[in-house]
Amino acid sequence: MSSKKMKILLHGLNYSPEEIGIGKYSGEMVQELSEVGHHVVVVTTPPYYPQWKILDGYQGRIYSRQVTQSKNGRGRIEVIRCPLWVPRSVTGLKRVIHLASFGLSSIPPMFWSAIRFRPDVVMVVEPAAICMPTTWIAARLTRAKAWLHVQDFEVDAAFELGILKQPLLKRIVLAAEAFLMRRFDRVSSISPNMLVKLIQKGVAQQRVVAFPNWVDCDVMKPLEPAVDQHAVGPLSENRAAAKRHFVDSIRAKFGLPPGKCIALYAGNLGAKQGLETILDAARQSGGRSDLHFVICGRGAAYNDLLAMSHGLDNVQFLPLQPMERFNELMNAADIHLLPQKAGAADLVMPSKLTGMLATGRPVVACASPGTQIADVVDGHGLVVPPADSVAFCEAVERLAVDRDLRESLGTAARAYAVKNLGRKSILTKFIGDLKTACSIDTQSGSHAGVELPSGSVRVDAAESISDRAYSDRAFSDRAFSDRAFSDRGDGERSREDVCESAAPTASP
């Protein structure tokens, strides 16, 4: 078998040093590729997310280029950053212009890099879908394989959440997106229901690849005081007291109140998160002195949420935290919160969920039955209908008064993360899929695609673009999930959203 190393050209809106969301995952993917000896060229933007402000030390009006070696010296990474317009306030129209600015500015370096670099694979990450034509043409110019990775069905989500509203525009844009998707050699996504949605859009089953997000269970993990973990009787009581004192010492670092049940949301403060549900729940539980809600992060909805929280003494906001303090922040909580607007639960799979599970805390999530979020949280937290603040509040209050339930669900959450969400195993499999696509280090260039057993699956807000080809198929989400994500092993960190220290500190 050949030991040829690959050359990959990556086209993506978000990239390292962004520490949350797609930028984090793309950065770690490229790092892994380079460390096993592959060469990668990245065409991207200056870092700006989630602050919606270009970070200090980067320019939004000019091109820049940086070449580095991997840490072990086996591979090379070249990063080309393109001009980008970042709006001060985010609206539907401004978001479209923002995406278009990168879509246009990235065309010259994509074609130039493809011709001089001669990649084996040209890959694009959605968002932004506007980059798909350039990526596909660059691949065809150089006879490389074209790979689309869908982190977020941004077009569907934009219409489902009302960011874009015109019905005619919706039909045109969705049809164009599906047309382009079907032209890629491989199309991957992060959850079983999202893979099914790709097939509903007409992507051939043999071209669909599972590529889930991951978590570092050695970085994101439960923190425990240094006492006898197997103590009984008085020693067990001492252990419980030591643990309470330990957690309170962590909370003090972030200015959080001791002795209360902390319900934490840590992530991007955007439209699709439905964060007003947290504020509604806090308002309903305002008479409780034992429950405290914390919202940590920044994003387009921050100022609106701050205004909506006026008068709520049981709600506290924290700014972005540096990476080295994020696991401590997650351990300061008793409950993790995952609100979600209706219609978005299968259009996006929040990567912050993996970090919540890995830290061994129960999750209260908004999701409809049968969606991927509901299936993952089941047995590891409580699931309530989207945007139902009453049910959300009741679930939080139920966990707040039941320590045993919190601990049992949290233990199950940690075990699930360790077994199913490992960085090394997921990225190793992905690299194998890349080689298969290129017929490198494989006996055959064929690709069987994902295995879809018969059954039934519910995909929220799914519009079949190619019903004629798949009208006789039904897919089992649960069985597919078990097959796609079983035996992943231990992994590495997953964190969509990082939060800055409560004390004044520079965000990395």
Side-chain angles (χ1 to χ4, degrees):
M1 293 185 184
S2 168
S3 60
K4 177 184 175 183
K5 300 303 181 181
M6 291 181 293
K7 295 192 290 184
I8 300 102
L9 174 57
L10 175 65
H11 192 193
L13 181 70
N14 301 99
Y15 184 69
S16 180
E18 291 182 0
E19 288 191 316
I20 74 170
I22 295 169
K24 166 205 168 307
Y25 286 109
S26 292
E28 291 184 4
M29 176 188 72
V30 168
Q31 189 64 44
E32 183 71 19
L33 285 165
S34 68
E35 286 179 0
V36 296
H38 305 299
H39 301 310
V40 188
V41 173
V42 182
V43 177
T44 186
T45 67
Y48 70 93
Y49 185 81
Q51 299 91 341
W52 286 89
K53 178 183 178 182
I54 293 175
L55 295 186
D56 292 342
Y58 294 87
Q59 295 290 329
R61 298 182 180 181
I62 61 173
Y63 290 94
S64 65
R65 176 174 174 266
Q66 182 181 21
V67 180
T68 59
Q69 293 291 123
S70 64
K71 293 179 181 178
N72 60 11
R74 297 180 63 188
R76 188 184 69 171
I77 303 171
E78 177 181 344
V79 180
I80 301 172
R81 299 191 185 272
C82 305
L84 177 73
W85 179 72
V86 180
R88 292 184 178 179
S89 61
V90 184
T91 64
L93 177 60
K94 289 180 180 179
R95 190 183 295 268
V96 170
I97 297 172
H98 161 74
L99 296 174
S101 70
F102 174 63
L104 292 173
S105 69
S106 64
I107 292 174
M110 276 297 296
F111 291 162
W112 173 67
S113 297
I115 293 170
R116 70 177 176 84
F117 185 52
R118 309 300 297 183
D120 299 296
V121 179
V122 183
M123 183 177 185
V124 63
V125 179
E126 182 183 357
I130 199 169
C131 296
M132 283 196 284
T134 300
T135 304
W136 183 83
I137 294 171
R140 293 299 171 258
L141 282 175
T142 56
R143 297 183 179 180
K145 298 297 182 181
W147 188 303
L148 167 65
H149 180 53
V150 180
Q151 282 273 8
D152 187 336
F153 285 106
E154 59 175 329
V155 178
D156 300 77
F159 286 105
E160 290 298 325
L161 299 174
I163 297 173
L164 299 175
K165 300 178 181 180
Q166 300 85 350
L168 178 60
L169 177 63
K170 179 178 181 178
R171 289 196 296 271
I172 293 172
V173 173
L174 287 176
E177 179 196 45
F179 174 83
L180 289 167
M181 283 180 169
R182 293 196 293 268
R183 266 118 198 102
F184 280 78
D185 299 292
R186 296 288 185 272
V187 185
S188 57
S189 195
I190 62 177
S191 78
N193 278 13
M194 293 175 74
L195 296 176
V196 172
K197 188 169 178 63
L198 290 173
I199 295 173
Q200 287 187 306
K201 288 176 176 287
V203 180
Q205 178 179 329
Q206 65 269 22
R207 296 187 179 190
V208 174
V209 180
F211 183 24
N213 290 330
W214 53 86
V215 61
D216 183 346
C217 293
D218 293 326
V219 173
M220 301 301 294
K221 61 185 179 182
L223 298 177
E224 298 285 348
V227 296
D228 184 357
Q229 301 295 309
H230 304 289
V232 295
L235 286 178
S236 179
E237 295 174 7
N238 290 339
R239 176 179 175 269
K243 184 173 182 178
R244 287 194 297 271
H245 178 74
F246 178 73
V247 171
D248 285 343
S249 68
I250 294 176
R251 292 178 177 180
K253 298 179 182 181
F254 302 96
L256 301 178
K260 293 189 176 184
C261 181
I262 299 290
L264 169 70
Y265 172 86
N268 176 47
L269 309 186
K272 68 188 177 188
Q273 280 75 23
L275 295 168
E276 60 274 8
T277 302
I278 296 177
L279 299 182
D280 289 341
R283 192 170 287 108
Q284 294 169 44
S285 62
R288 300 182 63 106
S289 60
D290 62 331
L291 184 55
H292 191 71
F293 293 84
V294 178
I295 298 175
C296 178
R298 287 294 184 269
Y302 172 70
N303 290 328
D304 290 340
L305 291 169
L306 204 59
M308 291 170 59
S309 69
H310 181 71
L312 294 177
D313 295 333
N314 58 346
V315 176
Q316 181 176 351
F317 284 81
L318 292 180
L320 292 171
Q321 301 296 311
M323 172 73 71
E324 61 271 15
R325 300 190 65 179
F326 187 69
N327 187 54
E328 283 190 312
L329 174 71
M330 299 293 273
N331 273 270
D334 297 291
I335 304 165
H336 289 311
L337 305 178
L338 187 62
Q340 197 84 1
K341 285 191 174 181
D346 272 330
L347 303 177
V348 295
M349 185 64 182
S351 53
K352 65 174 72 67
L353 178 56
T354 56
M356 294 177 179
L357 297 171
T359 50
R361 301 296 194 271
V363 181
V364 175
C366 290
S368 299
T371 60
Q372 197 61 35
I373 292 176
D375 286 345
V376 171
V377 174
D378 182 34
H380 314 122
L382 302 178
V383 181
V384 303
D388 188 338
S389 61
V390 174
F392 190 82
C393 180
E394 290 175 350
V396 173
E397 290 182 341
R398 178 186 171 191
L399 290 173
V401 299
D402 195 336
R403 179 185 298 272
D404 290 341
L405 180 60
R406 292 202 308 267
E407 291 189 355
S408 65
L409 291 173
T411 300
R414 170 66 182 178
Y416 177 88
V418 169
K419 179 180 179 182
N420 298 304
L421 303 174
R423 167 179 164 173
K424 191 68 178 179
S425 58
I426 288 174
L427 287 177
T428 298
K429 181 183 180 300
F430 165 68
I431 293 172
D433 288 334
L434 279 177
K435 290 184 175 183
T436 299
C438 300
S439 299
I440 297 173
D441 287 348
T442 59
Q443 294 180 346
S444 170
S446 63
H447 178 67
V450 294
E451 184 178 356
L452 300 172
S454 59
S456 61
V457 64
R458 175 180 181 277
V459 182
D460 279 0
E463 268 187 52
S464 176
I465 304 300
S466 183
D467 287 335
R468 64 187 182 277
Y470 299 98
S471 59
D472 61 342
R473 292 183 187 265
F475 309 111
S476 169
D477 176 36
R478 175 68 70 181
F480 186 20
S481 177
D482 291 343
R483 296 186 189 201
F485 295 96
S486 62
D487 301 324
R488 291 294 189 185
D490 284 323
E492 309 229 80
R493 112 180 138 245
S494 169
R495 217 188 91 208
E496 175 181 341
D497 306 281
V498 195
C499 299
E500 231 174 357
S501 158
T505 182
S507 178

